[in-house]
Amino acid sequence: TRLVFAFCEGDKDQKDLLGGKGANLAEMTRLGLPVPPGFTITTEACRFYLEQGREPDLLTVQVTTALRRLEDEVGRRLGDATDPLLVSVRSGAKHSMPGMMETVLNVGLNDRSVLGLADASGDERFAWDSYRRLIQMFGKTVLGVDGEAFGSALEAAKLRKGVDSDIELEARDLQALVAEFKQIVLVHTGEEFPQEPRRQLDLATRSVFDSWNTHRARLYRRRERIPHDLGTAVNVCAMVFGNLGPTSGTGVCFTRDPATGKKGVYGDYLANAQGEDVVSGIRNTLPLDDLARLDPDSYAELTLIMRRLETHYRDLCDIEFTVERGKLWVLQTRVGKRTAAAAFRIAVQLVDEGLITMDEALERVAGAQLAQLMFPQFDAGAERNLWTRGMAASPGAAVGRIVFDPATAVAWHARGERVILVRKETNPEDLEGMIAATGILTSRGGKTSHAAVVARGMGKTAVCGAESVTVDAARRVAVAGGRTLHEGDTLSLDGSTGEVFLGELPVVPSPVVCYLEHGLEVALAGVDESTAEVIRAVDRLLAHADRVRRMRVRANADTGADADRARRMGAEGVGLCRTEHMFLGERRPLIERVVLAADAEEREAALAELVAPQIQDFVDLLTAMDGLPTTIRLLDPPLHEFLPDRAELMVKAAVARERGEVDPNDVRLLAAVERLHESNPMLGLRGVRLGLTVPGLFALQVRAIAQATAQLRKAGGNPRPEILVPLVGSVMELHLVRDEADSIVAEVAASECVDLAIPIGTMVELPRAALTAFRVAEAAEFFSFGTNDLTQTTWGFSRDDVEAGFFAAYLDKGVFTVSPFETLDASGVGRLVDIATREGRSTRPDLKVGVCGEHGGDPESIHFFHSTGLDYVSCSPFRVPVARLEAGRAML
Ligand code: PEP
Ligand code: MG
């Protein structure tokens, strides 16, 4: 097997094997762009190492061959005493995981080659600085030495010299520092810093492999739903130097603005620096325009390369580059991460520029991004108290109390607080805190700093590089403009403008929601041009999704008002009305009377009182959905949910007994509650079981639906109700309900003199219903998958408990990468969906099949339902646009 590929041997489609970075380096090499030569060690080698705990035997040999070829190509030898070749060793997995894994630069330097480097570059200072960087980076990441040890030695050296910045340290200071760093390595590891260049390379490679499994990398993958078994590739690349004086430098650029989607190139540049300095946010960067001034030739070449890459990838690219003494090198490119707004804008821009089709544009945006655009924003009209301002690094409106370290962020978040994490800059160790935070504020670093890149990836609000803020994490204070804030103070971050306000600013609905509810014209009035461009892009892409999609999208709505809103959001019907919600509140005592009735007469009287309000409920709902299918589910939850709390009643009874004031009604109530008490109510008397046990309950609901329909029909409306029976496990249950329901509908039709054909269908939310679907379909005109209960009963997980319980451990151990209550477990629960759909249709070819569990609004699940051949998904009104978009994307 090939475990090593030279850059000139691969291409961009080999991301599985070469990782994203390796595949794109290969592609750029093929395009003839100025990429330093190098080679990629495959993810397969990494997987072998992670599984077996050792490198494959072939790897050593293949690395030797690739290294020799590389040496021949550049005419230098790794770590040679005169003019040495140095290499960078970088991780690069299939999916980009910014800053999560290791990088080691300047591999090949040792006590002899540092002199060769000094000679060849004519810059002694540079050579010693590179060597101390190697020992520092290698010591920390490969040898596991605490980074602080090097950091404080460096600080001490600056202090001794009386300077502020490392730039001011001279060659002999750095030479002394190298000696000190080597001593630190010796003390901390008991061994000398490895001098042998090849050994350095092999150890660095191994540490990149190992970094796949660090805590932070696992955490990141969990969040991004990246599988844990892919492994990373390792890229070994001839070093070029951005820190060779003022005509050198390094930067990151984007072919369009990844934060807003604005047209035109965008980037950060740092003169006389190495790549890590930009990403780590250690020094504040200059905008790309400054490069145009400093080095017009390199800027012109870079501009050309950006255009070529964008044309080639037909998408926004981000590029890492280095200028070494006036010569431009491209070190990395990829299709760039971007915010939700930028994704929509850029997709439509590229269509208008003729670079991609509308179908491709639809592929480039995601339902999750649309959901993000629907989040609220700060109220522009509210009184605001500006504290400071930074770069608009990741959009959104975040309000929270400030904390200064990730551990506090996690702890406060766990007790239900919204927190803003305030840091000088972030690094990968802050990840847990960043996940816990609502927003992130840093005082250093640009739009390409770690904080910005990670926040954008997570869809989290961030303001970066707020230079006027002095962050003192040790004392837990932040100062700006003479105003000191303490841990726990409240801030409001506007990630779209970079403004930071004191206190809590009120939020208002997003303009995209305004568009979805009220249409283009209303939404465009009074918004700025960039917001208008986002809205128009959403409009065009949703319209395209509606044109191409096969599945219908309905909403789960319980009231007329809900249904109305859902309809404006594009719902094509109601897929689930949970009627139990109509029985709570002030109507609960009526239900109590039904349950507690001493005899049939009393029960019927109680039921009769519910008829009129139920009819009104359905009139409202059917009016809002006039002309569209409206699925009304008969009462589902356990009966005891409609009765008073058992513990409270017991206390009350005990007190009454003591006082000798026993109320016979209370006694009866308690007895009934005791009788109906169940240890597993979700597996007990609910759904159709309730309907078959409490006489008259379902009949009342069916009658109300029929009456409401007749009333509306006579008034000229077009109500289209469908009756849904919950928690069916056997066709027999359905037959029993049907027999009664059919006769009630016929009776109402006759007495009201209208034609009433109301389809009756069933929820499929128990494995038995799914497995006997060919029988169930005999009595059901449609199926609606209740994937919440189906997941609960298939896995045997209590839907109300597990997500707060052991799921964290399960996610950590990789039993699943996402909760099965959030994204449908395609291989287990999904199989039942597939079986039931196929077998149900084998009995009844025109069986309509939909889903109304939470999964109906989840993008990944929607794709599954599409491929399983469902007719529609139903989700909460706010997810309807997301589902429309994803149902469209599922066609591509
Ligand atoms: C379901 O179980 O998926 C469902 C839609 O019903 P409910 O959530 O009301 O139990
Ligand atoms: Mg259910």
Side-chain angles (χ1 to χ4, degrees), residues 556 576 578 580-581 633 636-637 682 686 724 726-727 763-765 784-792 799 851-855:
N556 294 355
L576 175 65
R578 291 180 164 102
E580 50 272 19
H581 296 158
R633 184 175 71 185
D636 183 28
M682 287 305 254
R686 57 176 281 223
L724 182 58
L727 217 74
M763 297 283 288
V764 177
E765 49 186 347
S784 180
F785 287 102
T787 46
N788 305 330
D789 274 308
L790 195 58
T791 299
Q792 166 164 270
R799 61 194 261 195
V851 56
C852 63
E854 284 310 303
H855 304 89

